[in-house]
Amino acid sequence: MTKNVIFRADGNSSTGLGHLYRLFSLVEIVKDTLNFVFLTSQSSTSSVIPKNYNLAFIPQEISIDGEPEWIATNFSPDEYIIIADGYQFSSSYQKQIKDKNFNLIYIDDLAKEHMYADVVVNHSPYIQEKHFKKEAYTKLALGTKYALLRPLFLKEAKHIKTIETVDSAFVCFGGADPLNLTLKAVIALLQIPSFKNIHVVLGGAYRDTDIFDLEEIHSDKILIYRNLSEEDLIKVMQQCNFAIAPASTILFELSCINMPILSGFYVDNQELIYKGFLNNDAIYKGGNLSDYQVSDFVKKIQVILKENKFNDQIVAQKALFDDKIAARHLSLIKESLLTLGVLCSGGLGLDTLSKIVKNHTVHFILTDSNSDAIIEFATKNNIPFYAGNPRSGKGFNFIKEFSVDVIISINYLFLIDEDIINHSKLLTFNIHGSLLPKYRGRTPHVWAIINGEDIAGITAHIIDAGCDTGNIIHQIETPIEAEDTGATMLEKYANAYYPLVKKVIKDVVDDQLTTTIQKEEDATYFGIRKPKDGEINWNWTKEAIRNWVRAQAHPYPGAFTYYEGQKIIIDKVSISNMKISNNIQNGVIVQSAPTIVVKVNDGGINLDIIRTENCTFTVGKTFCYENRI
């Protein structure tokens, strides 16, 4: 993948530094894998941004309304995606960024805006999809499995810890701490004799000096830290066995270290995080801290110490985090870097396309002129499309202006020329409805049922100049049950197509794509079927006719025969146990009620479901080719 990442956030003494620090956690995860620019306003406290970051500034005269235009002028959407964290990135901002053709990941903690971003990350354990208003294509990455934590904290989350005594406290209210809750919490801890040490971490924008006077008076107990590195912050936390902190990034970090935590909220963006941790019994209930006085902190701490249930809380904290968080974020970002083109037809194509669009950026669609639902979908979702035969350069002339990494073909009606095949930067692949190299060609699932197979499946394969001959990427087996029809097999395929697409895309994202050459000696090929090809041959065996009928049953055109000059469509048959003389001609009706039974090569067939009108079937009469008019 060729795109780079723009990390976009601001922070200073007025707004706090939380948005910057959250993005730092993502930068640390991707910096050894992807190229990036950290973009911030000139009013940000840039001293907290690591020196090794590629830093760029938005000029002070550029307003938030004018920012999308400025970004598009200075950074091409063909070369960059944007990851933004901040309340100023409203619905209007997101829509403008999307209108400039950027892929956008938005780091959210309020769930208030209508989301136009491609991906929205909200790591509160409380938040659910129902809390969001969003576009159909917007993917939600929710909960602590997407926790915004720096790598060393993710490593610490794997460790197991128990608390025997509580005598060393950690206090941090980050940023500017406008309510000076730090000072109140420290004074409260000083009033509880069991605490021997109080470790205080101040935010980069903290300006009050009273805490330093307190440190001078109680130098034997209070230790104050500022501008700690990730490693040093962890070392300080590890010295502590109790913490007081708001429901912000610091709460996630403390939970990785594991200790009893008194937490609450004092700004809107902390409330959902607080509710989530509280509902999971991972913190002690602090509630709204806005009006807290020293006495409130004292009462809460005394209750916590008296209850002495510290390790129950640690178990709850451990349950919130796993060891795949960093990999999950990296995959999410890499997938957002990936751009797709989709070739598809029919209901199966639409079903898979709609799932792809929810999770990936689709730059164009090629379809056939009869796939009205796909055309409607593309129009509704503002995805450029071409409907018609793509050959002789028509399809390529349409897509050549679109830069895409991967082209995917799903149930597409047409063979495609090499100019389209070669247009993708990384991969052009097809999902075929058989276990290749068997059943190359059209409607393979129908042919598989006709031929009495008990296993079918789907194959992801590279598209080459041949027909379904490209190297195999992955396959999924799908059993054909005794009562399966062509339609029910497509339903099974519909459930498997997108997971297979997703698996291939993950391979591309992780640079782990491997392929297997098809064995030509095992190859079989079956051609297109048309409604006129469905006529029943009554000289076949019972099982052959049963397979023939179910393969083509409703909503397909159906297997058919003729009776007194009228076309009869049969959607379901079953094996009859009636004893029938071999002297009776095949195709003769041997019973008309309660079920029609027809003589075939090795016995009788029950006609269970028939599509016909005003037709009376008589014993002794024949279904046959000769009666057709």
Side-chain angles (χ1 to χ4, degrees), residues 140 256 307 312 326 338 425 502 512 529 549 561 576 628:
L140 300 175
C256 290
E307 288 181 351
D312 290 345
L338 206 67
K425 295 177 184 176
K502 192 174 180 180
Q512 293 183 348
R529 293 189 54 79
V549 169
T561 188
S576 173
R628 181 171 56 173

Side-chain angles (χ1 to χ4, degrees), residues 140-183:
L140 300 175
L142 307 179
T144 54
K145 67 180 182 178
Y146 289 100
L148 295 157
L149 289 161
R150 289 173 283 180
L152 291 180
F153 283 101
L154 294 175
K155 185 177 180 180
E156 286 297 317
K158 301 176 185 178
H159 299 159
I160 298 173
K161 183 178 179 181
T162 57
I163 300 293
E164 301 297 336
T165 59
V166 168
D167 59 5
S168 182
F170 177 95
V171 178
C172 179
F173 281 86
D177 187 11
L179 303 178
N180 210 359
L181 293 168
T182 301
L183 183 65

Side-chain angles (χ1 to χ4, degrees), residues 255-451:
S255 297
C256 290
I257 303 300
N258 293 145
M259 66 186 75
I261 306 166
L262 171 60
S263 186
F265 61 93
Y266 58 88
V267 290
D268 289 347
N269 68 309
Q270 297 171 353
E271 187 171 2
L272 293 181
I273 295 172
Y274 169 74
K275 287 181 178 179
F277 274 82
L278 190 65
N279 289 349
N280 282 276
D281 298 320
I283 56 173
Y284 290 107
K285 185 177 181 180
N288 191 332
L289 304 175
S290 298
D291 297 323
Y292 258 49
Q293 301 303 318
V294 171
S295 58
D296 298 306
F297 279 114
V298 171
K299 289 175 184 176
K300 289 289 183 182
I301 296 167
Q302 287 174 336
V303 170
I304 292 168
L305 295 176
K306 185 177 181 180
E307 288 181 351
N308 194 21
K309 295 181 179 179
F310 311 131
N311 289 307
D312 290 345
Q313 191 174 106
I314 289 173
V315 170
Q317 291 168 3
K318 296 295 294 182
L320 291 176
F321 305 100
D322 62 26
D323 60 357
K324 297 180 177 62
I325 292 173
R328 206 173 279 125
H329 276 299
L330 184 59
S331 180
L332 192 72
I333 294 169
K334 280 188 171 183
E335 285 186 15
S336 295
L337 292 169
L338 206 67
T339 55
L340 309 179
V342 178
L343 287 50
C344 58
S345 297
L348 184 57
L350 175 62
D351 180 79
T352 310
L353 171 66
S354 63
K355 294 170 183 173
I356 291 171
V357 166
K358 286 182 178 179
N359 296 286
H360 303 282
T361 302
V362 175
H363 278 193
F364 66 78
I365 295 168
L366 299 187
T367 188
D368 64 286
S369 55
N370 292 322
S371 289
D372 295 335
I374 292 175
I375 294 170
E376 182 180 349
F377 180 87
T379 303
K380 181 180 178 181
N381 288 279
N382 298 313
I383 303 172
F385 69 92
Y386 173 84
N389 193 319
R391 307 203 70 169
S392 301
K394 294 177 183 177
F396 180 70
N397 285 335
F398 177 76
I399 71 169
K400 65 183 181 182
E401 301 302 323
F402 299 98
S403 175
V404 294
D405 297 302
V406 176
I407 294 176
I408 309 170
S409 175
I410 310 286
N411 200 40
Y412 192 48
L413 290 185
F414 304 105
L415 289 173
I416 60 174
D417 293 330
E418 289 190 33
D419 51 6
I420 295 177
I421 295 172
N422 296 329
H423 184 62
S424 65
K425 295 177 184 176
L426 301 175
L427 177 67
T428 298
F429 75 98
N430 176 53
I431 304 294
H432 180 72
S434 81
L435 298 173
L436 290 174
K438 294 182 178 181
Y439 292 97
R440 293 174 178 170
R442 298 293 296 276
T443 58
H445 64 294
V446 171
W447 282 113
I449 295 174
I450 289 172
N451 292 337

